[in-house]
Amino acid sequence: MVPSLLFEVMLIGLLGIGSQWLAWRYRMPAIVVMSITGLLAGPILGILNPEEDFGSLYSPIISVAVAIILFEGSLNLSFKELRDLGKPVFRISTIGAFIAWILGSLTAHYIAGLSWAVAFVIGGLFIVTGPTVIMPLLRQSKLNPRPAKILKWEGIIVDPIGALLAVFAFEIISFMTADDPDGTKLLLFFAASLFAIIFGWACGRGMGWMFETGHIPEFLKSPAVVIVVILCFTGADEIMHETGLLSVTAMGITLANMGISSISDMRHFKENISILLISTIFIMLTASLQLETLLQIFSPNIIGYVILMMFIVRPLSIFLSTIGTGLSFNEKALVGWIAPRGIVALTVSGYFSGVLQEAGYDDAGILTTLTFGLVFFTVLAHGFSIGWLAKKLHLSMEGKPGTLIVGANRFTVELGKSLQKAGLPVIIVDSSWERLRKVRESGLNFYHGNMLSEQTEYNLDTIPYEYLLAATDDRAYNSLICTTFMPEYGRTNVFKISPFVEGKSTNSEIVSKVGGRILFDKKFSMDDLTDKMANHYIFRQTTLTAQYNYKQYVEDKDPSTVFLYLIKPSGQLKFYSEEMRTVPVVGDTIVSLTPPNKEKAKIQAKLETNRNNNQNGNQN
C-alpha cells in the first residue's frame, strides 16, 4: 500500500501519463496500456486501491471527470461535420441504439443468466462507447474521415443516451413490479431529461453570450467553462441521476455551433485536461477492482456474453440501422466492429449494481464483473485491431508521412515535386488561384482557400499530413499559421521559412518569437530561396553509404547549398532546421537545393565524352 493519499494521487497521475507516453512511444493502444497498468498496480500487486483510499470522494471525482471528458468531446461536434453523414449518425444513434438495447438485453438474459429486469437495465447501459475510449483510438488509427466522424459522433451522443436508457429501464421495472404502480416517477424521468437538455442549452448559450460580449476576460474563459460544466452536470444530476451527462453534452454541442472564435483556444485546453483525466480515471477504475472480479470474468457465461455482444449484437445493430444511408459495406463492417466500452459503462454499472441489489435483485451483484469483462475484452480487441482492419478494408489514411505546404510559389512547387518523387504525400494550400497555376500544371495535390478560414477546417482533410510548412512571402502570416496549428500537429512538426531578412530587423525580431520552428536555416529567407530558384538551383537527392558518409557529403557541398530534408530507410521524414538533432547515418537519403555548377560540369563532361567517342568512331 502507498504511504499517504498525496503519494497515491501523485502515483495515479504518473502511471496514467506514463501509460500514455508508453503507448505513444511504441505505437500501442493507449487504453490497453492504461488498463493493464491499473490492473497491475491494483488487484494484481495490491499497490493501489483508490475506491477504498479515497472513500466518499471516489464517486464524485469519477463523475466530475466523466462530465468534463464528455463535454470536451461534444465541444468538437459541429453540425457542419454532418454533411453527407447526418443520416447514418442519426440512424445509429436512434434505431441502432434501440436494436442494440433489445438484442443486448436478450443476450444478458439468455446467455449471462440475468433476470429480465437486470438484463434490460444493463442492456441499455451497454450501448455506450464514449469519448474516453473512442478518441484515443481515432487519434492513433488515422481512419478515413467518414468512419472516423461516425464513430466520434456516435460515441459522444450515445454515451448519455445509454445511461438514460438504463435509468429508464430501471424506472419501468420499478413501475411494473410495484404493488401500487404510480406513473409519477415515469413522468418525472421524462421531465428531468427534458430539463437536462434545456439546462445544458441555456448554460451553453449563456457562456457563449458572455464570451462574445466580453463579460469574461481571456485568462478566465477556460477556468470559467470548467466550473460551469461542473455546475451544469451537478444541477441536472441532483434532480435525476445520470441526466447530468445529457446536460453537459447539450452544453458542449451548443457552444460548438455558436461560431465563437475563442472556442478553438478552449478546445485545446480541454483536450489537455481530457487526456489527463482519461489517464488518471482509467488507472483509478481498474486499480479499484477486486481480484475475485478478475477471476469471475473467465467464467463461461460471461465469456459467451462478451463474444455475442462483440460479434453478433454490435454488427447486426449497425448493419440494420444503416440500410439505405449510403455507407459502403466496408464502412459498415468497420463501424460495426469498433465499439469499445469505457468509463461511463464502468461507473454507471457500479451505481446500478448497488441500486438493483437494494431493490431485491440479487443477480445484479455480477454487473461489475460483467461490465469489466466487456470493457476489457472490447478495449483489447478493438484497440489492437482497428488499425489492421482499417488497412484491410482500405479505410485507413496510414502510410508515409505527408507534408502540407502553405504558400504556392516556384520554390514550394519544386519542393512538393521532390517530396512526391520520393513517394511522400504532399499538398499545397493557397488562397490565390493565380499562384496555384504552377501547382496545377505540375500535377501536385492542391487546395484553393485560406488556411485559417473556417471553410478550410471542414473541407480540407489534413489526416494524411504529419508536417506543416508555412512558406508564403508574408512572414507574419507564416508565424500565425504555425501558432494556430501547433496544438494540432505538435511543436516539432510545424515549420516556417526564416523571417530574418538582411536589413529588415524590426519585424523579424517580433515574428521570429511567434510559433513554429525555422525551416532549413536561419539565413535562408523566402527571398533567398526565390533567388536560388531564379538562378537555376537544383534539387539533388543523395543516399549516404559506408564509402560516402555524412561528413564527406557536407564537405563536398557548396556553402550556398540548402539542406532540405532527409528520409530514413524506414520511410521516416525529417526536415532540416536549426533545432534538428538527428545526425544522418548510412542509408539515409538527403535532399538538398544545390547550385547548378556541378550539374553543368557533369553535363560538360558527358558532352566531352560523347564528342571524343564520336571522333574516335569517325577515325575508325
Side-chain angles (χ1 to χ4, degrees), residues 493-505:
N493 291 0
V494 174
F495 300 88
K496 63 183 177 186
I497 297 294
S498 174
F500 296 95
V501 180
E502 192 174 349
K504 298 182 181 179
S505 59

Side-chain angles (χ1 to χ4, degrees), residues 22-253:
L22 198 67
W24 166 81
R25 180 67 179 82
Y26 295 102
R27 299 182 67 83
M28 294 187 294
I31 47 179
V32 173
V33 179
M34 289 186 291
S35 297
I36 293 172
T37 303
L39 291 176
L40 287 172
I44 295 175
L45 298 177
I47 299 171
L48 298 175
N49 190 343
E51 185 173 13
E52 182 180 300
D53 297 336
F54 281 81
S56 60
L57 288 175
Y58 178 79
S59 292
I61 289 172
I62 299 291
S63 297
V64 168
V66 171
I68 293 172
I69 292 165
L70 197 57
F71 169 77
E72 187 275 323
S74 60
L75 204 59
N76 294 302
L77 299 183
S78 172
F79 292 129
K80 291 182 180 179
E81 276 193 357
L82 286 179
R83 293 171 184 169
D84 304 322
L85 289 178
K87 197 173 182 180
V89 168
F90 177 77
R91 290 271 200 90
I92 291 170
S93 303
T94 53
I95 299 172
F98 180 76
I99 294 171
W101 179 28
I102 300 302
L103 293 178
S105 301
L106 293 172
T107 306
H109 176 70
Y110 287 109
I111 304 300
L114 298 178
S115 63
W116 282 114
V118 178
F120 270 94
V121 171
I122 206 67
L125 177 60
F126 283 168
I127 69 169
V128 305
T129 52
T132 59
V133 283
I134 283 296
M135 294 306 184
L137 286 186
L138 295 181
R139 269 195 289 268
Q140 76 179 40
S141 59
K142 293 188 176 180
L143 297 183
N144 280 357
R146 277 167 60 94
K149 288 176 182 177
I150 288 171
L151 286 169
K152 180 180 77 172
W153 273 83
E154 182 207 4
I156 294 167
I157 291 175
V158 174
D159 229 28
I161 291 176
L164 285 176
L165 271 180
V167 177
F168 174 66
F170 178 71
E171 293 297 337
I172 288 286
I173 291 161
S174 301
F175 173 76
M176 293 177 66
T177 57
D179 295 331
D180 184 19
D182 183 5
T184 307
K185 286 189 175 181
L186 285 178
L187 291 174
L188 179 61
F189 166 77
F190 289 114
S193 300
L194 181 61
F195 169 78
I197 295 172
I198 296 172
F199 186 48
W201 173 83
C203 288
R205 294 295 299 183
M207 290 302 295
W209 176 79
M210 293 183 78
F211 287 168
E212 289 180 317
T213 53
H215 283 79
I216 299 179
E218 288 297 323
F219 75 96
L220 276 182
K221 282 184 176 179
S222 291
V225 168
V226 172
I227 296 303
V228 174
V229 167
I230 297 172
L231 166 68
C232 183
F233 172 78
T234 307
D237 212 60
E238 286 295 311
I239 294 173
M240 175 68 74
H241 200 65
E242 303 308 332
T243 57
L245 297 178
L246 186 63
S247 192
V248 294
T249 303
M251 177 182 171
I253 293 175

Side-chain angles (χ1 to χ4, degrees), residues 35 50 74 127 143-144 277 283 295 315 331-332 334 351 371 467 525 533 541 548 555 558:
S35 297
S74 60
I127 69 169
L143 297 183
N144 280 357
L277 290 175
I283 297 295
L295 297 176
E331 288 171 331
K332 291 179 182 180
L334 181 66
Y351 164 76
T371 306
Y467 298 95
S525 66
M533 297 306 301
Q541 191 177 88
Y548 189 64
E555 288 173 352
D558 187 278

